[in-house]
Amino acid sequence: MSLHWVSVGRPEDLHFTPGAVVRLGDRWIAIFRLGEGYAAIDNACPHAGAPLCDGSVQDGKVACALHLWEFDLRTGACDVGKDWNVATYPVRLEQGQLQIALP
């Protein structure tokens, strides 16, 4: 599968609170700072649609602000079961721009 890299802006221009949300086509994606890099996942919690960008981040996971379900920022795995996992997207920094890869 070929990936299509899309620039979403400079990190310093995005509003990380703790996640920054961007819209790419019909997808809303939350980007999080992770150590030396970034992680990107679908923004909507699959349980009730709450924005994951507003959740709390700890130990590489984001907890949904609505019901505290946790999602691994690298894999998208949900702590309540695989039926609730969210999609993840590769992220890279190229020439000062964050880029997200879409299938």
Side-chain angles (χ1 to χ4, degrees), residues 17-19 30 32 43 50-58 61-66 68-69 71:
T17 60
F32 296 89
N43 189 45
L52 293 176
C53 65
D54 294 337
S56 59
V57 176
Q58 187 173 358
K61 297 179 181 177
V62 61
C64 175
L66 193 55
L68 302 179
W69 288 15
F71 300 87

Side-chain angles (χ1 to χ4, degrees), residues 8-17 20 22 31-33 37-38 92-99:
V8 295
R10 299 179 321 155
E12 57 270 20
D13 293 336
L14 298 174
H15 301 283
F16 289 93
T17 60
V22 297
I31 306 167
F32 296 89
R33 290 186 179 110
Y38 297 88
R92 68 184 183 189
L93 187 61
E94 286 288 319
Q95 299 178 350
Q97 293 281 319
L98 274 180
Q99 295 181 340

